[in-house]
Amino acid sequence: MADQLIIFDTTLRDGEQSPGISLDVGEKLEIAEQLARLRVDYIEAGFPVASDGDFEAVEAIARTVEGPTIAGLSRTHRGDVDRCWSALRDAHRARIHVFISTSPSHMEHMLRMTPEQVLAETRAGVSRAREHTDDVEFSPQDATRTPLDFMIEVLQAAVEAGATTLNIPDTVGYGIPWDFGSIIAYVRQTVKGDYVISTHCHNDLGLAVANSLSGIKAGARQVEVCVNGLGERAGNAALEEIVMALKIRPDQFDGLDTGVHTEELARTSRLVSRLTGYPVQYNKAVVGRNAFAHESGIHQHGVLAERTTYEIIDASKVGQKGSQIVLGKHSGRHAFAAELEKMGLSLQGDALNSAFARFKELADRKVELTDADLEAIVAEELGTSVEQAYSFEELEVHGGTVAEPRARIVITRGGEKKEATAEGDGMIDAACKAIKAATGVEATLTDFNVSSVTGGVDALGDVIVQLDAAGVKVSGRGVSTDVVEASARAYLNAVNKVLRVRARGEQRKPEIGP
Ligand code: KIV
Ligand code: ZN
């Protein structure tokens, strides 16, 4: 039994299937680079046949990201497998992940195939993938609702056709830990051959991590996970929780460990949150901002006397150092760049100038800026280093309980100024309507989330919005000491993304999603 658990990260594939997430190639590359720093073993970079954008992202990651093996998802069709391979071919090491549904419900309603056809497809897809690479994973989709005998037959066929990893997806999050564990044990005992067994658990019952751990206990040596537990519907098993469960309780897993550099967990979580626009819940295990906060006097007393009285994880071991004061308004560009560098954010030229200008502007309004503030500024100001269509210049708002709230916005595009005013239900609504009028981009605000980056009355307000512009769903982020301004910045950031998506003219092909 191997003593190392393989971490197969699918944030960029299954995670990106979370409603409202739409990452462009630059953003995916940034996340993939960070996953490499985190030292995951596999990065599932996308589903190349799903869209040209997915293909480009997988290809770019395969060409540039070093360290982890790069995987791409593929249906069993020969054309899909070949397209997947064209995206992966330049990787140092590449894996094709072939899947097909095996549950009666999926076979009847989605595939319209008989069990015999599914078996034949499995053999054909896996053997085609083996012609390209000797690292082939096979997944019987909706495994936990598939009759065991049929699943074993399909898995055996996959191994005979050349699959080297057998992944058991709990596609709809139907599994219960002990039951899921027995499925893994049964597969191990029954399917003959040389393969690694893997788990892929969804969180519909809030059991994705528990099910994955039960699978590991029963012999799985690969887990499929997403940073922050992102993924379809309620998400996938959270990478950081599984990794830390093994670290903190080696007694329960025969000392099995991962190669993950846990000190990078918090930074990875923040990066994924800011690029996807999915906030991390405050009380999220391991990476939530309250994961190491102690409120009650008794706990505070205990922790001050001895940290381990109320903490099982050392915050610094997961990269959670707490907020540190790093820079103020007297700091220069050099110190600013050096600090960003320390945080793993490397900026040059115009990107650095623009982030520095924004930092100075905020430092003037807020006495001290923390690491978290800096990350938020860089995230909001630069996004993915992709040129923003509109730039925010000025905002003036009037509100209160007497007069109708009004906003005046000034933005620029290619040096040309655009100004608009609007009234709204509140100052934020008025500011968003003014942006709508100035840009001409019609969109519905589907979600709005405001939080403070750090504590205190002068904290930066961090706003994340989600927009739906005629089916194009994007998120945007803005920070400022003023929440109305942060909201306007977030809204404009999202509008810019809508324009980028439209310019790419690229839409996912929904009918072929896994
Ligand atoms: O949930 C699922 O079944 C999947 C497969 C494609 C592995 O994501
Ligand atoms: Zn999945």
mmCIF file of all heavy atoms in Angstrom, residues 439-481:
data_model
loop_
_atom_site.group_PDB
_atom_site.id
_atom_site.type_symbol
_atom_site.label_atom_id
_atom_site.label_comp_id
_atom_site.label_asym_id
_atom_site.label_seq_id
_atom_site.Cartn_x
_atom_site.Cartn_y
_atom_site.Cartn_z
ATOM 1 N N THR A 439 -22.175 52.600 -19.617
ATOM 2 C CA THR A 439 -21.546 51.553 -20.443
ATOM 3 C C THR A 439 -22.503 50.971 -21.485
ATOM 4 O O THR A 439 -22.070 50.363 -22.453
ATOM 5 C CB THR A 439 -21.075 50.372 -19.565
ATOM 6 O OG1 THR A 439 -22.222 49.841 -18.873
ATOM 7 C CG2 THR A 439 -20.040 50.818 -18.560
ATOM 8 N N GLY A 440 -23.811 51.117 -21.233
ATOM 9 C CA GLY A 440 -24.793 50.525 -22.138
ATOM 10 C C GLY A 440 -24.887 49.019 -21.963
ATOM 11 O O GLY A 440 -25.527 48.336 -22.757
ATOM 12 N N VAL A 441 -24.248 48.445 -20.928
ATOM 13 C CA VAL A 441 -24.310 46.991 -20.727
ATOM 14 C C VAL A 441 -25.487 46.665 -19.808
ATOM 15 O O VAL A 441 -25.506 47.042 -18.649
ATOM 16 C CB VAL A 441 -22.985 46.453 -20.128
ATOM 17 C CG1 VAL A 441 -23.117 44.976 -19.781
ATOM 18 C CG2 VAL A 441 -21.844 46.679 -21.098
ATOM 19 N N GLU A 442 -26.463 45.964 -20.381
ATOM 20 C CA GLU A 442 -27.653 45.559 -19.615
ATOM 21 C C GLU A 442 -27.328 44.283 -18.852
ATOM 22 O O GLU A 442 -26.876 43.301 -19.439
ATOM 23 C CB GLU A 442 -28.801 45.256 -20.580
ATOM 24 C CG GLU A 442 -29.645 46.449 -20.966
ATOM 25 C CD GLU A 442 -30.205 47.220 -19.768
ATOM 26 O OE1 GLU A 442 -30.627 46.587 -18.786
ATOM 27 O OE2 GLU A 442 -30.199 48.463 -19.818
ATOM 28 N N ALA A 443 -27.533 44.292 -17.556
ATOM 29 C CA ALA A 443 -27.244 43.076 -16.794
ATOM 30 C C ALA A 443 -28.093 43.051 -15.543
ATOM 31 O O ALA A 443 -28.509 44.097 -15.046
ATOM 32 C CB ALA A 443 -25.762 43.039 -16.421
ATOM 33 N N THR A 444 -28.368 41.845 -15.051
ATOM 34 C CA THR A 444 -29.112 41.717 -13.793
ATOM 35 C C THR A 444 -28.128 41.351 -12.702
ATOM 36 O O THR A 444 -27.292 40.449 -12.874
ATOM 37 C CB THR A 444 -30.143 40.573 -13.913
ATOM 38 O OG1 THR A 444 -30.857 40.792 -15.118
ATOM 39 C CG2 THR A 444 -31.096 40.536 -12.746
ATOM 40 N N LEU A 445 -28.255 42.051 -11.589
ATOM 41 C CA LEU A 445 -27.395 41.752 -10.449
ATOM 42 C C LEU A 445 -27.992 40.531 -9.754
ATOM 43 O O LEU A 445 -29.080 40.601 -9.185
ATOM 44 C CB LEU A 445 -27.395 42.967 -9.512
ATOM 45 C CG LEU A 445 -26.498 42.919 -8.296
ATOM 46 C CD1 LEU A 445 -25.028 42.942 -8.707
ATOM 47 C CD2 LEU A 445 -26.784 44.102 -7.386
ATOM 48 N N THR A 446 -27.303 39.384 -9.819
ATOM 49 C CA THR A 446 -27.898 38.165 -9.255
ATOM 50 C C THR A 446 -27.393 37.875 -7.846
ATOM 51 O O THR A 446 -27.993 37.115 -7.117
ATOM 52 C CB THR A 446 -27.613 36.946 -10.152
ATOM 53 O OG1 THR A 446 -26.209 36.898 -10.386
ATOM 54 C CG2 THR A 446 -28.350 37.030 -11.462
ATOM 55 N N ASP A 447 -26.263 38.475 -7.477
ATOM 56 C CA ASP A 447 -25.785 38.261 -6.111
ATOM 57 C C ASP A 447 -24.914 39.431 -5.697
ATOM 58 O O ASP A 447 -24.221 40.036 -6.532
ATOM 59 C CB ASP A 447 -24.977 36.953 -6.044
ATOM 60 C CG ASP A 447 -24.828 36.469 -4.607
ATOM 61 O OD1 ASP A 447 -25.655 36.879 -3.763
ATOM 62 O OD2 ASP A 447 -23.895 35.721 -4.324
ATOM 63 N N PHE A 448 -24.966 39.747 -4.432
ATOM 64 C CA PHE A 448 -24.194 40.876 -3.904
ATOM 65 C C PHE A 448 -23.694 40.467 -2.529
ATOM 66 O O PHE A 448 -24.458 40.029 -1.689
ATOM 67 C CB PHE A 448 -25.127 42.091 -3.788
ATOM 68 C CG PHE A 448 -24.457 43.305 -3.224
ATOM 69 C CD1 PHE A 448 -23.810 44.199 -4.052
ATOM 70 C CD2 PHE A 448 -24.463 43.549 -1.855
ATOM 71 C CE1 PHE A 448 -23.172 45.319 -3.536
ATOM 72 C CE2 PHE A 448 -23.836 44.663 -1.334
ATOM 73 C CZ PHE A 448 -23.186 45.549 -2.175
ATOM 74 N N ASN A 449 -22.397 40.576 -2.330
ATOM 75 C CA ASN A 449 -21.841 40.159 -1.038
ATOM 76 C C ASN A 449 -20.848 41.207 -0.569
ATOM 77 O O ASN A 449 -19.961 41.597 -1.318
ATOM 78 C CB ASN A 449 -21.121 38.819 -1.254
ATOM 79 C CG ASN A 449 -20.540 38.288 0.014
ATOM 80 O OD1 ASN A 449 -19.554 38.826 0.523
ATOM 81 N ND2 ASN A 449 -21.150 37.251 0.542
ATOM 82 N N VAL A 450 -21.034 41.696 0.650
ATOM 83 C CA VAL A 450 -20.073 42.676 1.159
ATOM 84 C C VAL A 450 -19.461 42.152 2.448
ATOM 85 O O VAL A 450 -20.152 41.570 3.286
ATOM 86 C CB VAL A 450 -20.741 44.065 1.337
ATOM 87 C CG1 VAL A 450 -21.882 44.037 2.313
ATOM 88 C CG2 VAL A 450 -19.722 45.107 1.795
ATOM 89 N N SER A 451 -18.140 42.331 2.569
ATOM 90 C CA SER A 451 -17.484 41.936 3.824
ATOM 91 C C SER A 451 -16.339 42.916 4.053
ATOM 92 O O SER A 451 -15.962 43.660 3.142
ATOM 93 C CB SER A 451 -16.946 40.518 3.727
ATOM 94 O OG SER A 451 -16.056 40.431 2.647
ATOM 95 N N SER A 452 -15.801 42.915 5.263
ATOM 96 C CA SER A 452 -14.661 43.799 5.481
ATOM 97 C C SER A 452 -13.396 42.957 5.405
ATOM 98 O O SER A 452 -13.358 41.811 5.868
ATOM 99 C CB SER A 452 -14.781 44.513 6.819
ATOM 100 O OG SER A 452 -14.699 43.583 7.850
ATOM 101 N N VAL A 453 -12.379 43.534 4.752
ATOM 102 C CA VAL A 453 -11.142 42.777 4.538
ATOM 103 C C VAL A 453 -10.469 42.495 5.875
ATOM 104 O O VAL A 453 -9.959 41.425 6.130
ATOM 105 C CB VAL A 453 -10.186 43.556 3.602
ATOM 106 C CG1 VAL A 453 -8.863 42.816 3.449
ATOM 107 C CG2 VAL A 453 -10.822 43.752 2.252
ATOM 108 N N THR A 454 -10.453 43.488 6.747
ATOM 109 C CA THR A 454 -9.889 43.297 8.094
ATOM 110 C C THR A 454 -10.897 43.875 9.075
ATOM 111 O O THR A 454 -11.942 44.371 8.676
ATOM 112 C CB THR A 454 -8.565 44.057 8.230
ATOM 113 O OG1 THR A 454 -8.786 45.398 7.796
ATOM 114 C CG2 THR A 454 -7.468 43.430 7.415
ATOM 115 N N GLY A 455 -10.563 43.880 10.361
ATOM 116 C CA GLY A 455 -11.487 44.464 11.340
ATOM 117 C C GLY A 455 -11.293 45.967 11.448
ATOM 118 O O GLY A 455 -10.467 46.561 10.772
ATOM 119 N N GLY A 456 -12.091 46.612 12.303
ATOM 120 C CA GLY A 456 -11.897 48.040 12.578
ATOM 121 C C GLY A 456 -12.794 48.932 11.767
ATOM 122 O O GLY A 456 -13.287 48.542 10.708
ATOM 123 N N VAL A 457 -12.989 50.185 12.263
ATOM 124 C CA VAL A 457 -13.917 51.081 11.570
ATOM 125 C C VAL A 457 -13.353 51.564 10.245
ATOM 126 O O VAL A 457 -14.095 51.978 9.363
ATOM 127 C CB VAL A 457 -14.279 52.322 12.437
ATOM 128 C CG1 VAL A 457 -15.267 51.970 13.524
ATOM 129 C CG2 VAL A 457 -13.032 52.974 13.002
ATOM 130 N N ASP A 458 -12.017 51.546 10.082
ATOM 131 C CA ASP A 458 -11.439 52.000 8.819
ATOM 132 C C ASP A 458 -11.143 50.832 7.878
ATOM 133 O O ASP A 458 -10.372 50.939 6.942
ATOM 134 C CB ASP A 458 -10.166 52.812 9.068
ATOM 135 C CG ASP A 458 -9.093 51.975 9.763
ATOM 136 O OD1 ASP A 458 -9.418 50.835 10.175
ATOM 137 O OD2 ASP A 458 -7.959 52.452 9.885
ATOM 138 N N ALA A 459 -11.778 49.684 8.141
ATOM 139 C CA ALA A 459 -11.510 48.492 7.319
ATOM 140 C C ALA A 459 -11.912 48.733 5.868
ATOM 141 O O ALA A 459 -12.801 49.531 5.581
ATOM 142 C CB ALA A 459 -12.305 47.315 7.864
ATOM 143 N N LEU A 460 -11.264 48.023 4.967
ATOM 144 C CA LEU A 460 -11.668 48.085 3.565
ATOM 145 C C LEU A 460 -12.918 47.239 3.382
ATOM 146 O O LEU A 460 -12.966 46.100 3.840
ATOM 147 C CB LEU A 460 -10.568 47.521 2.669
ATOM 148 C CG LEU A 460 -9.273 48.305 2.532
ATOM 149 C CD1 LEU A 460 -8.387 47.656 1.478
ATOM 150 C CD2 LEU A 460 -9.555 49.738 2.143
ATOM 151 N N GLY A 461 -13.906 47.804 2.704
ATOM 152 C CA GLY A 461 -15.088 47.027 2.346
ATOM 153 C C GLY A 461 -14.749 46.246 1.087
ATOM 154 O O GLY A 461 -14.178 46.800 0.144
ATOM 155 N N ASP A 462 -15.068 44.978 1.072
ATOM 156 C CA ASP A 462 -14.740 44.101 -0.051
ATOM 157 C C ASP A 462 -16.073 43.616 -0.632
ATOM 158 O O ASP A 462 -16.800 42.897 0.037
ATOM 159 C CB ASP A 462 -13.918 42.934 0.504
ATOM 160 C CG ASP A 462 -13.437 41.990 -0.576
ATOM 161 O OD1 ASP A 462 -13.815 42.181 -1.741
ATOM 162 O OD2 ASP A 462 -12.689 41.047 -0.254
ATOM 163 N N VAL A 463 -16.374 44.037 -1.843
ATOM 164 C CA VAL A 463 -17.676 43.686 -2.418
ATOM 165 C C VAL A 463 -17.488 42.732 -3.592
ATOM 166 O O VAL A 463 -16.616 42.936 -4.438
ATOM 167 C CB VAL A 463 -18.425 44.953 -2.888
ATOM 168 C CG1 VAL A 463 -19.698 44.597 -3.635
ATOM 169 C CG2 VAL A 463 -18.746 45.844 -1.690
ATOM 170 N N ILE A 464 -18.296 41.678 -3.600
ATOM 171 C CA ILE A 464 -18.291 40.743 -4.730
ATOM 172 C C ILE A 464 -19.698 40.723 -5.310
ATOM 173 O O ILE A 464 -20.663 40.547 -4.561
ATOM 174 C CB ILE A 464 -17.882 39.330 -4.284
ATOM 175 C CG1 ILE A 464 -16.440 39.351 -3.786
ATOM 176 C CG2 ILE A 464 -18.023 38.334 -5.424
ATOM 177 C CD1 ILE A 464 -15.978 38.058 -3.179
ATOM 178 N N VAL A 465 -19.807 40.958 -6.608
ATOM 179 C CA VAL A 465 -21.130 40.916 -7.238
ATOM 180 C C VAL A 465 -21.143 39.825 -8.300
ATOM 181 O O VAL A 465 -20.092 39.459 -8.821
ATOM 182 C CB VAL A 465 -21.499 42.257 -7.915
ATOM 183 C CG1 VAL A 465 -21.583 43.379 -6.912
ATOM 184 C CG2 VAL A 465 -20.544 42.606 -9.032
ATOM 185 N N GLN A 466 -22.319 39.327 -8.580
ATOM 186 C CA GLN A 466 -22.467 38.404 -9.707
ATOM 187 C C GLN A 466 -23.498 39.014 -10.638
ATOM 188 O O GLN A 466 -24.558 39.466 -10.183
ATOM 189 C CB GLN A 466 -22.942 37.049 -9.219
ATOM 190 C CG GLN A 466 -22.013 36.462 -8.180
ATOM 191 C CD GLN A 466 -21.589 35.037 -8.473
ATOM 192 O OE1 GLN A 466 -22.216 34.365 -9.261
ATOM 193 N NE2 GLN A 466 -20.530 34.591 -7.844
ATOM 194 N N LEU A 467 -23.176 39.059 -11.917
ATOM 195 C CA LEU A 467 -24.100 39.630 -12.917
ATOM 196 C C LEU A 467 -24.478 38.566 -13.933
ATOM 197 O O LEU A 467 -23.680 37.682 -14.247
ATOM 198 C CB LEU A 467 -23.420 40.756 -13.706
ATOM 199 C CG LEU A 467 -22.944 42.010 -13.006
ATOM 200 C CD1 LEU A 467 -22.613 43.066 -14.054
ATOM 201 C CD2 LEU A 467 -24.000 42.541 -12.070
ATOM 202 N N ASP A 468 -25.680 38.716 -14.448
ATOM 203 C CA ASP A 468 -26.115 37.870 -15.552
ATOM 204 C C ASP A 468 -26.482 38.805 -16.687
ATOM 205 O O ASP A 468 -27.454 39.556 -16.607
ATOM 206 C CB ASP A 468 -27.328 37.035 -15.110
ATOM 207 C CG ASP A 468 -27.756 36.039 -16.188
ATOM 208 O OD1 ASP A 468 -27.436 36.285 -17.366
ATOM 209 O OD2 ASP A 468 -28.409 35.040 -15.848
ATOM 210 N N ALA A 469 -25.663 38.815 -17.743
ATOM 211 C CA ALA A 469 -25.922 39.686 -18.891
ATOM 212 C C ALA A 469 -26.331 38.789 -20.051
ATOM 213 O O ALA A 469 -25.474 38.230 -20.723
ATOM 214 C CB ALA A 469 -24.685 40.503 -19.236
ATOM 215 N N ALA A 470 -27.617 38.623 -20.232
ATOM 216 C CA ALA A 470 -28.169 37.774 -21.291
ATOM 217 C C ALA A 470 -27.474 36.415 -21.337
ATOM 218 O O ALA A 470 -26.999 35.969 -22.379
ATOM 219 C CB ALA A 470 -28.049 38.484 -22.639
ATOM 220 N N GLY A 471 -27.373 35.781 -20.183
ATOM 221 C CA GLY A 471 -26.809 34.432 -20.138
ATOM 222 C C GLY A 471 -25.323 34.399 -19.838
ATOM 223 O O GLY A 471 -24.781 33.373 -19.477
ATOM 224 N N VAL A 472 -24.632 35.521 -19.993
ATOM 225 C CA VAL A 472 -23.208 35.552 -19.631
ATOM 226 C C VAL A 472 -23.139 35.841 -18.134
ATOM 227 O O VAL A 472 -23.537 36.909 -17.683
ATOM 228 C CB VAL A 472 -22.447 36.644 -20.417
ATOM 229 C CG1 VAL A 472 -20.996 36.714 -19.953
ATOM 230 C CG2 VAL A 472 -22.521 36.375 -21.894
ATOM 231 N N LYS A 473 -22.656 34.861 -17.357
ATOM 232 C CA LYS A 473 -22.629 35.028 -15.904
ATOM 233 C C LYS A 473 -21.208 35.291 -15.456
ATOM 234 O O LYS A 473 -20.315 34.504 -15.738
ATOM 235 C CB LYS A 473 -23.160 33.760 -15.236
ATOM 236 C CG LYS A 473 -24.603 33.521 -15.563
ATOM 237 C CD LYS A 473 -25.158 32.372 -14.764
ATOM 238 C CE LYS A 473 -26.630 32.237 -15.047
ATOM 239 N NZ LYS A 473 -27.067 31.010 -15.555
ATOM 240 N N VAL A 474 -21.018 36.403 -14.783
ATOM 241 C CA VAL A 474 -19.664 36.763 -14.347
ATOM 242 C C VAL A 474 -19.711 37.297 -12.929
ATOM 243 O O VAL A 474 -20.765 37.654 -12.415
ATOM 244 C CB VAL A 474 -19.058 37.865 -15.252
ATOM 245 C CG1 VAL A 474 -18.840 37.397 -16.654
ATOM 246 C CG2 VAL A 474 -19.929 39.103 -15.228
ATOM 247 N N SER A 475 -18.537 37.378 -12.330
ATOM 248 C CA SER A 475 -18.457 38.007 -11.017
ATOM 249 C C SER A 475 -17.516 39.194 -11.115
ATOM 250 O O SER A 475 -16.712 39.288 -12.049
ATOM 251 C CB SER A 475 -17.930 37.013 -10.002
ATOM 252 O OG SER A 475 -16.626 36.651 -10.367
ATOM 253 N N GLY A 476 -17.620 40.115 -10.166
ATOM 254 C CA GLY A 476 -16.718 41.266 -10.141
ATOM 255 C C GLY A 476 -16.418 41.599 -8.701
ATOM 256 O O GLY A 476 -17.200 41.283 -7.801
ATOM 257 N N ARG A 477 -15.269 42.225 -8.492
ATOM 258 C CA ARG A 477 -14.871 42.506 -7.115
ATOM 259 C C ARG A 477 -14.372 43.937 -7.002
ATOM 260 O O ARG A 477 -13.754 44.461 -7.919
ATOM 261 C CB ARG A 477 -13.745 41.550 -6.757
ATOM 262 C CG ARG A 477 -13.366 41.607 -5.323
ATOM 263 C CD ARG A 477 -12.604 40.364 -4.964
ATOM 264 N NE ARG A 477 -12.649 40.166 -3.538
ATOM 265 C CZ ARG A 477 -12.287 39.053 -2.944
ATOM 266 N NH1 ARG A 477 -11.900 38.042 -3.657
ATOM 267 N NH2 ARG A 477 -12.340 38.949 -1.644
ATOM 268 N N GLY A 478 -14.652 44.579 -5.888
ATOM 269 C CA GLY A 478 -14.167 45.938 -5.666
ATOM 270 C C GLY A 478 -13.856 46.151 -4.202
ATOM 271 O O GLY A 478 -14.533 45.608 -3.329
ATOM 272 N N VAL A 479 -12.808 46.923 -3.928
ATOM 273 C CA VAL A 479 -12.511 47.245 -2.523
ATOM 274 C C VAL A 479 -12.352 48.737 -2.366
ATOM 275 O O VAL A 479 -11.883 49.436 -3.264
ATOM 276 C CB VAL A 479 -11.213 46.564 -2.008
ATOM 277 C CG1 VAL A 479 -11.421 45.122 -1.711
ATOM 278 C CG2 VAL A 479 -10.051 46.781 -2.943
ATOM 279 N N SER A 480 -12.769 49.217 -1.230
ATOM 280 C CA SER A 480 -12.594 50.625 -0.896
ATOM 281 C C SER A 480 -12.938 50.791 0.573
ATOM 282 O O SER A 480 -13.596 49.923 1.170
ATOM 283 C CB SER A 480 -13.537 51.488 -1.747
ATOM 284 O OG SER A 480 -13.536 52.805 -1.236
ATOM 285 N N THR A 481 -12.520 51.929 1.136
ATOM 286 C CA THR A 481 -12.937 52.205 2.510
ATOM 287 C C THR A 481 -14.418 52.571 2.531
ATOM 288 O O THR A 481 -15.029 52.646 3.587
ATOM 289 C CB THR A 481 -12.121 53.369 3.101
ATOM 290 O OG1 THR A 481 -12.076 54.403 2.128
ATOM 291 C CG2 THR A 481 -10.719 52.926 3.462
#
